[in-house]
């Protein structure tokens, strides 16, 4: 079955950096665009960044442009999110999911209707 396992979250001070990873199995990773999503306490889940299967096209939500970088390794079936200049507003549970296209980087476009358990990112001020 489809499995998505996020890791790399933690507690970091404002201005710090983290690198998230999403290891996948149960589907052909290179057939899908992939994305990172986040959900802050009491808020709806939102798309953060998505990447085409080839890595050639990337989408970022405005609030993370210039600070976050998405990448993927199709040989390892793994998705990454490098996060720099973190702020308390980035505090959330971060999830990965497959999508059909990078510009469809919203939770309702989850192509496999599957979420991992998420990894928590907490940014202290």
């Amino acid at each position: 079955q489809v499995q998505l396992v996020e890791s790399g979250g933690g507690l970091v001070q404002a201005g710090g950096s983290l690198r998230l990873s999403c290891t996948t199995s149960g589907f052909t990773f290179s057939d899908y665009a992939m994305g990172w999503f986040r959900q802050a306490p009491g808020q709806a889940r939102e798309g953060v960044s998505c990447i085409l299967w080839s890595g050639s096209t990337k989408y970022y939500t405005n609030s993370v442009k210039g600070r976050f970088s998405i990448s993927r390794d199709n040989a390892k079936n793994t998705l990454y999110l490098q996060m720099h200049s973190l702020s308390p507003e980035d505090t959330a549970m971060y999830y990965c999911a497959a999508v059909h296209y990078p510009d469809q980087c919203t939770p309702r476009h989850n192509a496999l209707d599957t979420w991992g358990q998420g990894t928590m990112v907490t940014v202290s001020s």
Side-chain angles (χ1 to χ4, degrees):
Q1 73 276 25
V2 174
Q3 288 193 318
L4 305 161
V5 180
E6 301 92 343
S7 62
L11 174 64
V12 63
Q13 289 188 332
S17 299
L18 283 174
R19 189 195 195 204
L20 306 183
S21 298
C22 170
T23 57
T24 73
S25 61
F27 67 103
T28 304
F29 183 74
S30 58
D31 280 351
Y32 289 88
M34 294 292 298
W36 285 99
F37 303 81
R38 67 186 179 186
Q39 187 165 17
Q43 297 188 23
R45 194 168 299 187
E46 65 170 347
V48 175
S49 181
C50 290
I51 185 170
L52 189 64
W53 67 270
S54 64
S56 61
T57 302
K58 302 174 183 179
Y59 162 87
Y60 297 95
T61 193
N62 284 339
S63 63
V64 308
K65 284 180 181 177
R67 300 189 299 121
F68 291 11
S69 178
I70 191 171
S71 62
R72 63 190 294 161
D73 186 334
N74 288 344
K76 296 182 178 179
N77 296 331
T78 302
L79 178 72
Y80 303 99
L81 185 69
Q82 179 69 55
M83 305 185 294
H84 295 297
S85 302
L86 285 161
S87 72
E89 289 68 35
D90 296 314
T91 294
M93 187 73 79
Y94 283 71
Y95 303 88
C96 66
V99 295
H100 289 297
Y101 302 103
D103 60 351
Q104 292 182 342
C105 200
T106 65
R108 69 184 183 94
H109 288 111
N110 186 329
L112 298 173
D113 199 26
T114 300
W115 298 99
Q117 84 290 346
T119 186
M120 186 69 200
V121 172
T122 304
V123 185
S124 63
S125 57

